[in-house]
Amino acid sequence: MLLLAHPTGNTFVRALGAGLAQADVLTEFHTCLDYPADDSWLSLFPKTWRRQGRRRQLPDALKPFARIHPWREIGRLAGLPRLIPCLGRHETGFCSVDQIYRALDRGVATRLSALPDLRGVYLYEDGAASSFAVARALGLACFYDLPIGYWRAGQRILSEEAELSPEWAATLVGLGDSPAKLTRKDEELAMADTVFVASSFTRATLAEAPKPPKHSVVIPYGAPTPPPGLQAARRRPGEPLRVLFVGSLGQRKGTRYLLEALRKLGAEFELTLIGSVPAARCDPLMEALRRHRHIASLPHADILHEMSRHHVLVFPSLFEGFGLVLLEAMACGLPVIATPHTAAPDIMREGCEGFIVPIRDSDAIATRLTWLAEDEDRRQAMSSKARTRAAEFTWENYTQRIIGAIEERLASRAGPLNSP
């Protein structure tokens, strides 16, 4: 039996948790929130708070296994760090993301010895150090999920970018982590029996670790099922090519290079940016937001509808773990333009469902956009192939492959994973 934990319980965590529960191999799931199905009693709270909360609603299959650790996360979502800034101070504030991860980790660590049938723990980066130490002492297997590339590779790439794009450097927030936090990351990695990653790029970055893990497994995420009746957009003669970007608007995502590509193109291209603006001042970004359509946040269903009205997604990330937005866009019939520092090489074929361009190459982005704008038949063919390809990646398959890999690692132990 397995214990699963993650503070925010995002899309891939909920999918895995539900799959583990349905396979009868889950003992407990630890997280910070489970939004109630009936939220009428929360009508006094701001709509934005309730919208954020609905994203944290657990699947029915997972609810019976949930153990909730809410207070720090409630404080963060309620905006306490804005009222009392020290509460949100990076890494040290009571409601900071780092403290939320570490508090949950400590809570899980104190729970492990009370679960006699437990065979292993499945934990995520930045939330595993305390629990892995206890699990190893108890003889439990430690399964580690690394949702983004290894930190040393990230520091190298982002430091290079800070020199190349000094006006965007303040948005490269990954460079602000303390030595203590980075040391904990390496401690977690060293204690893991198996490291699960969602892309070949993430696994490749592990080569930069002082002691690369002996066993890592690449299992791509699943694609969503588009709402019934959602049709991919067709571009009418004379209509601009509608270009979409979804993600945080910092330079880790390569935002500068997308904006440069659009500046090289004419009025026959329209750009929509969906994503939050970094807190740090960035004049080039603010100028771009005045020229292009910008939406700070949308519910997931509305993002899928926005995808269906656009003609192509561009995701020029410099350092990514997967880029779930790629599969979401493909499922909605969008060809994608992405870099090899994402899951693009794992989930799409060059020139079939989209294009893979080098990082930091605005010319390559502009060229591919021009190709799509000049050949609607080709774009339509790529749109159809993108939907077909995305359907091959399901959350059920994702979960079953993880369970299979865990079973394989536990093969030396008596009995199957779900044995009493």
Side-chain angles (χ1 to χ4, degrees):
M1 301 292 284
L2 284 178
L3 182 146
L4 175 70
H6 189 277
T8 61
N10 51 29
T11 301
F12 51 84
V13 177
R14 292 195 299 271
L16 176 59
L20 293 173
Q22 291 163 354
D24 196 27
V25 298
L26 185 65
T27 298
E28 290 181 351
F29 171 58
H30 290 247
T31 192
C32 291
L33 293 178
D34 177 17
Y35 194 80
D38 180 6
D39 66 351
S40 57
W41 60 279
L42 294 172
S43 59
L44 296 178
F45 287 85
K47 288 184 179 180
T48 55
W49 193 93
R50 283 181 285 150
R51 185 170 63 193
Q52 287 286 341
R54 291 188 187 103
R55 296 179 180 178
R56 308 286 286 277
Q57 191 172 81
L58 299 181
D60 290 342
L62 195 50
K63 287 180 179 292
F65 301 90
R67 296 180 70 90
I68 306 300
H69 307 248
W71 301 116
R72 292 174 189 259
E73 181 69 345
I74 286 176
R76 185 180 74 87
L77 293 178
L80 286 182
R82 289 194 296 273
L83 299 175
I84 310 174
C86 67
L87 294 179
R89 186 177 297 127
H90 181 56
E91 294 192 29
T92 61
F94 182 84
C95 296
S96 68
V97 172
D98 292 278
Q99 287 300 319
I100 290 169
Y101 269 73
R102 295 181 67 188
L104 181 64
D105 181 26
R106 292 191 297 268
V108 169
T110 62
R111 179 66 179 160
L112 297 182
S113 61
L115 300 171
D117 295 331
L118 200 61
R119 303 281 302 282
V121 292
Y122 192 108
L123 305 174
Y124 291 79
E125 183 186 27
D126 292 325
S130 297
S131 299
F132 274 179
V134 174
R136 288 174 67 87
L138 294 172
L140 303 175
C142 296
F143 300 104
Y144 190 51
D145 197 302
L146 189 64
I148 194 167
Y150 174 63
W151 73 266
R152 291 178 192 269
Q155 294 260 313
R156 173 178 55 79
I157 293 169
L158 298 185
S159 295
E160 294 169 354
E161 188 61 28
E163 293 185 7
L164 292 168
S165 307
E167 69 278 21
W168 289 82
T171 72
L172 297 168
V173 294
L175 294 176
D177 290 340
S178 69
K181 179 176 179 178
L182 300 177
T183 297
R184 282 195 302 274
K185 290 177 183 285
D186 279 343
E187 290 172 350
E188 292 175 345
L189 189 62
M191 287 188 283
D193 295 301
T194 300
V195 179
F196 289 91
V197 297
S199 70
S200 299
F201 171 72
T202 300
R203 181 160 67 178
T205 66
L206 288 169
E208 299 191 31
K211 293 183 178 179
K214 294 181 180 179
H215 192 248
S216 59
V217 183
V218 178
I219 302 179
Y221 296 141
T225 301
L230 196 69
Q231 299 293 322
R234 289 184 173 273
R235 184 171 176 236
R236 297 185 295 272
E239 184 179 27
L241 185 79
R242 291 193 291 272
V243 181
L244 179 66
F245 170 89
V246 180
S248 60
L249 296 176
Q251 185 54 10
R252 180 174 71 82
K253 301 286 187 179
T255 311
R256 168 196 157 188
Y257 300 104
L258 170 60
L259 296 175
E260 285 183 355
L262 266 294
R263 277 199 296 271
K264 297 173 182 179
L265 302 172
E268 63 269 24
F269 297 84
E270 290 182 355
L271 174 64
T272 297
L273 302 158
I274 301 178
S276 58
V277 177
R281 179 184 177 92
C282 179
D283 291 338
L285 175 60
M286 299 313 296
E287 192 275 331
L289 296 184
R290 289 189 288 270
R291 290 190 291 110
H292 301 292
R293 180 173 177 245
H294 173 233
I295 304 172
S297 179
L298 282 176
H300 185 254
D302 291 349
I303 289 177
L304 297 182
H305 279 283
E306 278 291 331
M307 287 178 171
S308 71
R309 64 175 297 275
H310 284 78
H311 302 122
V312 58
L313 177 96
V314 181
F315 193 67
S317 189
L318 306 178
F319 185 73
E320 203 68 39
F322 187 86
L324 192 54
V325 66
L326 297 174
L327 274 180
E328 292 172 338
M330 290 166 61
C332 294
L334 267 73
V336 299
I337 299 173
T339 71
H341 287 199
T342 69
D346 300 292
I347 63 174
M348 58 173 279
R349 296 158 295 185
E350 169 67 18
C352 291
E353 296 86 15
F355 302 104
I356 300 174
V357 299
I359 63 169
R360 304 181 175 126
D361 196 336
S362 58
D363 286 337
I365 296 171
T367 297
R368 272 55 170 195
L369 288 174
T370 300
W371 289 353
L372 294 176
E374 292 177 347
D375 192 342
E376 177 62 10
D377 289 341
R378 180 184 193 181
R379 196 199 66 80
Q380 284 290 332
M382 295 179 80
S383 170
S384 178
K385 290 177 182 177
R387 297 191 75 156
T388 301
R389 179 67 170 163
E392 298 176 13
F393 295 88
T394 67
W395 288 114
E396 292 78 11
N397 186 51
Y398 170 72
T399 300
Q400 289 306 310
R401 289 184 64 187
I402 288 182
I403 293 174
I406 291 173
E407 289 276 13
E408 183 179 342
R409 295 299 292 169
L410 294 177
S412 60
R413 302 172 184 234
L417 182 59
N418 61 356
S419 63

